[in-house]
Amino acid sequence: MRREDMLAGLLAQAGSEGSELITLRAVVEEASELGAARALEQMGLADDTAHEDLAELRELLRAWRDAKASAWKAVVGWVVRAVLALLLLGIAVRLGSKDVL
């Protein structure tokens, strides 16, 4: 039985029985599962390979984050080295060493 048919049957049962609590819970559960299935289908994740696709996307995202962190560390390292080199150059000039330039 399709989810749409199950939901329609439960709604008809709820209308005829006066909506008992168990019927309402079943309606909510079927409606939420139907909504989740529709959302996955609209996102293109309803096929059998969706799990593999998501695993691959997670791996790509992890690699991107690692590369970004590594790039920032390299940039910070180069900036620190440049500042220290300029500081040493300034100290050498201040002390009167003319051979530096």
Side-chain angles (χ1 to χ4, degrees), residues 46-65:
D47 57 354
D48 293 334
T49 63
H51 179 71
E52 296 166 5
D53 294 341
L54 286 175
E56 187 175 341
L57 283 173
R58 284 187 187 118
E59 185 178 332
L60 286 171
L61 184 58
R62 190 176 313 116
W64 166 254
R65 288 177 178 160

Side-chain angles (χ1 to χ4, degrees), residues 22-74:
I22 193 157
T23 306
L24 290 175
R25 284 186 177 176
V27 168
V28 168
E29 184 177 336
E30 287 299 319
S32 62
E33 287 182 14
L34 181 62
R38 283 183 184 169
L40 288 173
E41 188 174 327
Q42 287 176 352
M43 292 188 312
L45 297 173
D47 57 354
D48 293 334
T49 63
H51 179 71
E52 296 166 5
D53 294 341
L54 286 175
E56 187 175 341
L57 283 173
R58 284 187 187 118
E59 185 178 332
L60 286 171
L61 184 58
R62 190 176 313 116
W64 166 254
R65 288 177 178 160
D66 291 344
K68 190 170 62 169
S70 178
W72 274 112
K73 285 179 184 177

